[in-house]
Amino acid sequence: MHAQDAYYHAPCLTALYNRVRNSSSKGEEKNENTSQNSLEAIALAELFMYIEEAPRPVVFLLSDLAKTYSRLLEQLGANVPSRVNSIRLKDRLLTQIPELGAYTEGKEVKLAFTTDIGAALITVCPNS
């Protein structure tokens, strides 16, 4: 443009710079969201492995699984919310591991494999 002695008007140049800045920041946010989602997927996969490799019969407390999930997210360097939505986590676990069942006892939600539920509850509550 300088060779032709043409120049942008100051407001037009400012508008151009603003558009470039906005488009680059949106791209960075998209990359951050994709990396956050991939880290959450990795942490969830590790939680699945933890559950499936646990010695049976076993009963998992949903609150403990939520703490484990948030700890895995921290280890991976992901943004960890102040509190993991445990109901959404429970739904994801039950969807991915169909042999797992959820049992509510008061405020506490327990997860156990449906084939082992009798033996698992006996080991947890031997006086019942």
Side-chain angles (χ1 to χ4, degrees):
M1 297 290 285
H2 287 288
Q4 297 176 351
D5 292 328
Y7 296 99
Y8 282 107
H9 291 96
C12 296
L13 187 60
T14 304
L16 176 66
Y17 287 151
N18 287 339
R19 274 189 277 157
V20 170
R21 185 181 58 229
N22 287 338
S23 66
S24 66
S25 67
K26 287 179 184 176
E28 291 171 5
E29 288 176 11
K30 186 176 181 181
N31 288 339
E32 288 176 12
N33 286 340
T34 6
S35 65
Q36 176 72 17
N37 289 341
S38 62
L39 291 176
E40 288 177 3
I42 291 170
L44 196 60
E46 288 183 17
L47 188 64
F48 292 150
M49 288 183 359
Y50 169 74
I51 291 171
E52 290 179 347
E53 292 175 356
R56 296 201 183 153
V58 65
V59 174
F60 299 102
L61 298 177
L62 184 59
S63 58
D64 292 342
L65 290 177
K67 289 175 188 173
T68 303
Y69 178 66
S70 68
R71 197 171 28 246
L72 288 169
L73 285 173
E74 284 178 10
Q75 289 174 356
L76 291 171
N79 295 332
V80 182
S82 60
R83 181 178 165 159
V84 174
N85 188 331
S86 59
I87 300 301
R88 192 173 295 141
L89 179 64
K90 176 190 75 161
D91 292 341
R92 292 170 91 184
L93 290 172
L94 294 176
T95 302
Q96 295 296 321
I97 307 173
E99 309 89 41
L100 204 61
Y103 307 95
T104 306
E105 188 175 305
K107 289 184 178 181
E108 191 64 50
V109 177
K110 297 179 180 182
L111 300 170
F113 288 95
T114 53
T115 55
D116 302 334
I117 191 62
L121 290 178
I122 290 172
T123 58
V124 170
C125 308
N127 295 335
S128 298

